[in-house]
Amino acid sequence: MPNSLDVRSRAGQVTEALARDLLVRKPGDRLPTIADYARRFGAGNGSVDKALRALQEHGAVLVEARGHLGSFIVQSKPGLLWTASGGGPIVGALPRPNSIPFEGLVAGLVATFSRAGVPFTPMFVSGGRQRIAALAPGRVHFIVLSEVAAARVGMDHQVERVCTLFPESFYPSESIVVLSGAELADLEMADRIAIDRGSYDHEMLTLTQFGEREFVDVPYDLIPDRLADGSIDAAVWHRASRGTMTNAARWRLHEVATAATQAMLRAMTCAALLIRREDAATRAILEATIDPHLIEASQAEVRQGRYAPHW
């Protein structure tokens, strides 16, 4: 947005407030009157009128006056309204890009925000519980979880799902396995099982896969180290994680064994975007910006080695 919309001035503050209001409205909506906005913002009618004209001149919104019926939104550009509202970069808490699928997910989100002209900052946070902890106080605008984890946290937290992406956007089919040391051929011999309780997915998959065993709390990224030093015998693992891609000879990969685990995996393949329930502005910008087809294409480019990450 050009510098002529000076957010440090009183007029700029009115423009910010008006842009935030318009962001959550859709084409066809009838607007409050200038006088209504003035009372709401504690400003003069002239300041509101000037702010509305400025937003129209910069292409953020097109408003049509229809006589005694009032004024209606004809067209809006949420990206420009977000910028005019002083929202700053959209911050999303995402899984660490430590595997090709997660690299592709981040690449797709970077691409979709870039095409819409919306500033975006990815924040890499391991574990769904940690991402929820970042969302609740508003440190981030949205988070990404698996579809199963999203359904679980929606019951316990003041969050809601904005969208669910396509199958295999989060965990590709057959990407989840059990990792053990190379010498362990039979998982029935595994007594000490690593569990990362900071991750909804890892916790649910581990309990479903192993049932009653001795569980050892281990952060996901430290599982290979704990296997190497003998602290644990086995753990649920993402097949494409960097540790197994670069040190394959050190580990044995076992297919998940139980039907319940396989069913849970099928339900976990989709990524879901969640926001705080009361955050209407973020909902509006995400609904207008997120392009699942572009995200899918970016993931394919990463899988094929045709995308160089630049975050």
Side-chain angles (χ1 to χ4, degrees):
M1 187 68 76
N3 292 333
S4 57
L5 294 182
D6 183 3
V7 298
R8 293 170 296 177
S9 68
R10 177 56 181 156
Q13 294 171 10
V14 173
T15 302
E16 280 190 349
L18 182 58
R20 283 194 294 272
D21 179 88
L22 295 174
L23 183 63
V24 301
R25 299 180 186 273
K26 300 183 183 300
D29 285 356
R30 180 181 177 178
L31 296 181
T33 66
I34 294 294
D36 289 336
Y37 275 130
R39 284 191 293 272
R40 184 186 305 178
F41 301 153
N45 289 0
S47 295
V48 175
D49 185 64
K50 181 178 179 181
L52 182 57
R53 283 189 282 108
L55 291 171
Q56 292 197 86
E57 288 169 2
H58 287 90
V61 66
L62 177 61
V63 173
E64 180 182 68
R66 299 177 186 172
H68 68 280
L69 295 177
S71 295
F72 294 78
I73 295 181
V74 176
Q75 180 181 338
S76 67
K77 294 185 178 179
L80 293 179
L81 287 172
W82 177 269
T83 302
S85 74
I90 294 282
V91 181
L94 315 176
R96 290 179 60 241
N98 58 2
S99 67
I100 287 176
F102 286 163
E103 273 190 16
L105 180 61
V106 178
L109 287 167
V110 168
T112 198
F113 281 108
S114 177
R115 190 175 72 174
V118 177
F120 172 57
T121 300
M123 178 187 291
F124 302 124
V125 180
S126 296
R129 283 191 169 87
Q130 284 73 22
R131 294 198 284 279
I132 281 286
L135 179 65
R139 292 201 299 271
V140 299
H141 293 95
F142 74 93
I143 63 173
V144 176
L145 300 176
S146 76
E147 185 175 17
V148 170
R152 175 173 175 176
V153 302
M155 298 183 291
D156 302 326
H157 299 270
Q158 294 299 308
V159 301
E160 64 181 13
R161 192 179 319 193
V162 176
C163 68
T164 299
L165 298 179
F166 44 91
E168 304 204 3
S169 55
F170 202 74
Y171 294 125
S173 59
E174 301 183 356
S175 68
I176 301 299
V177 295
V178 175
L179 181 68
S180 75
E183 71 286 351
L184 185 65
D186 185 359
L187 286 180
E188 292 300 319
M189 303 298 294
D191 295 320
R192 296 161 301 168
I193 308 301
I195 187 168
D196 183 353
R197 298 185 191 275
S199 165
Y200 295 105
D201 294 335
H202 197 266
E203 181 181 57
M204 288 186 287
L205 287 168
T206 300
L207 295 176
T208 303
Q209 171 69 25
F210 288 101
E212 295 295 328
R213 301 285 180 101
E214 177 186 347
F215 294 110
V216 181
D217 290 295
V218 179
Y220 180 82
D221 290 342
L222 295 182
I223 285 173
D225 293 337
R226 299 292 80 83
L227 280 170
D229 67 22
S231 302
I232 59 171
D233 300 318
V236 170
W237 189 252
H238 193 184
R239 185 193 297 269
S241 293
R242 297 300 183 196
T244 47
M245 294 171 68
T246 56
N247 298 288
R250 299 178 59 185
W251 319 121
R252 183 185 293 270
L253 302 183
H254 309 257
E255 298 300 324
V256 293
T258 70
T261 310
Q262 293 167 353
M264 184 173 290
L265 281 173
R266 288 193 293 271
M268 281 181 173
T269 65
C270 298
L273 277 64
L274 288 81
I275 62 169
R276 285 173 292 133
R277 191 167 294 162
E278 73 278 8
D279 192 354
T282 296
R283 168 175 282 281
I285 195 65
L286 293 182
E287 287 179 342
T289 302
I290 296 299
D291 182 346
H293 298 293
L294 182 56
I295 295 173
E296 188 172 17
S298 296
Q299 282 196 316
E301 287 188 345
V302 170
R303 284 196 304 271
Q304 296 160 12
R306 295 189 289 112
Y307 183 97
H310 54 272
W311 49 82

